[in-house]
Amino acid sequence: MNEKLRAFAEKHGLAADKKGCYGEMFGYQVGVYVNRFANPNYVLCISAHTADMSQEIISFLKKKKDDLKLTSFDVLGVGVILFPALYFSVYEQIEKILKTVADFLKSKKVPGAEHCPYCGEKMEEKVLVSDGGHRFFVHDACFSANYQLVKESEREESESPDHYGRGFAGAVLGAVIGCLAFIGLFVWGHLEVLAPVIGVVAAH
């Protein structure tokens, strides 16, 4: 981990590992991940139950895209993924991006860090999970239920007579909505993405 990222993590009380840092900032679960060989080099994640507000969040980010220096973004049922184009004052800009988006989520009453990104309910008990390298807390039951949902869907698809054609269509859809997963398959050069996330997105 580079020293500037380590200092950023320490400043905001985030847990750090070799791929980035994660924890709570501005009232939400966030992650900041760096790969100097990728383009863009940085991926920012905010994990929250955004399912009911996706379109409003998308509209907001389209308006703020230039100001926040975002190359792209995605909004799905379990959070927001932000791809910033950053060259100078990198961590100051990252802080601005996360605060701006978090403030908007708060204004729309999107549940914060104490709530499960899957169901939106408060987490009395929680587990730390990893999807696409991004680590965040959820209800264990929510994560497990969505994993089983995906498995059942895969089984039904494989048993369907026309599963080849439907499988192709599903793969295309999965590629689109699976952008959360994201940090991804191609940008980050590893295959750590877990199926439950796609199940959550599809469910919403």
Side-chain angles (χ1 to χ4, degrees):
M1 173 181 289
N2 67 58
E3 291 305 313
K4 289 185 178 180
L5 179 58
R6 189 183 303 279
F8 179 85
E10 291 178 357
K11 175 183 177 181
H12 295 285
L14 305 178
D17 59 28
K18 63 181 180 180
K19 296 177 182 177
C21 56
Y22 61 92
E24 181 179 339
M25 282 181 66
F26 309 118
Y28 289 91
Q29 295 192 72
V30 305
V32 178
Y33 304 96
V34 185
N35 184 341
R36 63 190 181 90
F37 299 109
N39 184 21
N41 296 143
Y42 296 84
V43 174
L44 315 180
C45 303
I46 299 179
S47 296
H49 186 65
T50 55
D52 299 330
M53 298 298 303
S54 293
Q55 291 305 313
E56 289 192 53
I57 298 170
I58 289 171
S59 296
F60 171 77
L61 290 175
K62 284 181 177 178
K63 294 177 182 177
K64 301 293 291 184
K65 185 176 179 180
D66 290 341
D67 178 53
L68 295 178
K69 297 181 175 62
L70 298 176
T71 61
S72 62
F73 60 85
D74 207 351
V75 181
L76 300 169
V78 292
V80 182
I81 305 298
L82 305 154
F83 298 90
L86 303 174
Y87 303 98
F88 304 104
S89 301
V90 171
Y91 291 98
E92 290 85 347
Q93 185 64 19
I94 287 176
E95 187 170 338
K96 175 183 176 180
I97 292 170
L98 293 174
K99 185 177 188 307
T100 299
V101 177
D103 286 347
F104 179 76
L105 296 180
K106 287 178 185 176
S107 74
K108 297 300 178 181
K109 302 188 184 307
V110 173
E114 295 182 351
H115 297 76
C116 176
Y118 286 74
C119 67
E121 298 298 322
K122 190 169 183 179
M123 295 183 289
E124 300 297 339
E125 296 183 3
K126 58 188 178 181
V127 295
L128 183 65
V129 299
S130 176
D131 279 316
H134 172 43
R135 298 166 70 86
F136 57 101
F137 287 98
V138 299
H139 282 135
D140 185 33
C142 289
F143 194 76
S144 298
N146 280 280
Y147 180 79
Q148 292 302 320
L149 183 64
V150 170
K151 286 299 183 182
E152 291 175 10
S153 178
E154 290 175 348
R155 178 180 55 78
E156 292 174 1
E157 184 67 30
S158 67
E159 294 175 353
S160 173
D162 61 343
H163 70 275
Y164 292 107
R166 293 171 59 191
F168 176 75
V172 174
L173 177 61
V176 175
I177 65 175
C179 178
L180 166 57
F182 328 86
I183 308 173
L185 298 172
F186 305 103
V187 175
W188 295 98
H190 57 75
L191 299 176
E192 296 180 5
V193 177
L194 298 180
V197 180
I198 297 176
V200 172
V201 175
H204 292 287

